[in-house]
Amino acid sequence: VEGAGEKLEQAGEEWPDECALVELKESGHLLLNMRNNEQKDREECDCRLQSRSFDGGATWSEVEHVPDLLEPVCQGSLIKNDLDGGNLYFSNPRERSTGKRQNGRIMVSLDSGGSYSEVAVVDEKDFGYSELTVLDEHHLGVVYESSETCTAKQVFSRLLVDCVIQGWGRYVNFVSNSIRYVVVEV
């Protein structure tokens, strides 16, 4: 990302990679979410990294840890859902004790990436690289690698998002895996 190089260099000897970039609810604000490759850094936090721009990408904040987004060093998907007010949704494997790519979860941020909460378990077993998409106002889709090696099978799950606005806050609830398709098998 142009303009972010100096800040990313400060993140460690091994640059963060496999980034996801979203425009936030606030005009001109961007969030760059990154895989954390730095072994020394991972001893502090086995989690994703992020940086923000408040001027359309001309300048970037210091790279920071995102403790809510644990990872075993794997790609993750981040999207903004304009159909529910611009909330952010993130998918990745959340197994860190074994370092295996397992326990695929969907997380939501209601505060432009300030914090994330778990809203769905997609697959408790193998869950590798993933991509999220907004299907319609009630559904998200996620396609992910599923097998022991995380390369043999691509699985698509359609997730029902039930967003209910309460008087004092917003709740996001998932009915996980309401429909599941194997898209490609090699």
Side-chain angles (χ1 to χ4, degrees):
V1 174
E2 189 70 31
E6 183 179 318
K7 299 295 182 186
L8 296 180
E9 280 182 19
Q10 297 167 2
E13 294 172 15
E14 297 181 40
W15 278 41
D17 63 5
E18 298 184 350
C19 304
L21 179 68
V22 293
E23 182 178 13
L24 300 174
K25 299 174 197 178
E26 304 80 14
S27 179
H29 292 201
L30 304 174
L31 179 67
L32 182 64
N33 181 283
M34 301 160 276
R35 181 171 86 164
N36 184 358
N37 289 314
E38 180 63 36
Q39 186 57 42
K40 290 182 288 186
D41 193 47
R42 295 188 66 73
E43 292 169 9
E44 179 182 332
C45 184
D46 282 343
C47 60
R48 304 282 294 182
L49 300 171
Q50 67 184 20
S51 180
R52 294 174 183 274
S53 175
F54 303 102
D55 54 14
T59 62
W60 291 87
S61 69
E62 296 294 325
V63 175
E64 61 186 13
H65 292 99
V66 187
D68 292 338
L69 300 180
L70 304 175
E71 69 163 0
V73 185
C74 188
Q75 174 268 1
S77 179
L78 179 69
I79 61 169
K80 179 177 80 169
N81 185 351
D82 289 321
L83 299 178
D84 74 354
N87 293 323
L88 302 180
Y89 293 89
F90 179 81
S91 65
N92 78 324
R94 295 198 30 95
E95 179 58 49
R96 67 179 200 172
S97 61
T98 65
K100 293 183 179 179
R101 294 175 174 177
Q102 296 177 327
N103 295 317
R105 303 288 199 262
I106 306 292
M107 308 289 285
V108 66
S109 176
L110 306 177
D111 59 3
S112 294
S115 61
Y116 294 82
S117 301
E118 183 176 303
V119 291
V121 176
V122 179
D123 193 328
E124 290 183 343
K125 295 188 179 178
D126 302 316
F127 189 93
Y129 284 31
S130 61
E131 278 302 323
L132 286 165
T133 190
V134 177
L135 299 174
D136 58 41
E137 65 182 315
H138 300 292
H139 298 91
L140 295 179
V142 61
V143 63
Y144 63 96
E145 298 170 332
S146 176
S147 77
E148 190 170 317
T149 61
C150 288
T151 58
K153 179 164 69 162
Q154 301 292 317
V155 175
F156 175 79
S157 288
R158 181 179 170 101
L159 307 170
L160 175 65
V161 181
D162 178 19
C163 297
V164 181
I165 298 177
Q166 301 288 331
W168 57 271
R170 169 173 247 157
Y171 293 93
V172 180
N173 302 306
F174 274 86
V175 177
S176 183
N177 299 326
S178 54
I179 301 174
R180 185 177 235 184
Y181 304 96
V182 174
V183 178
V184 177
E185 222 172 305
V186 291

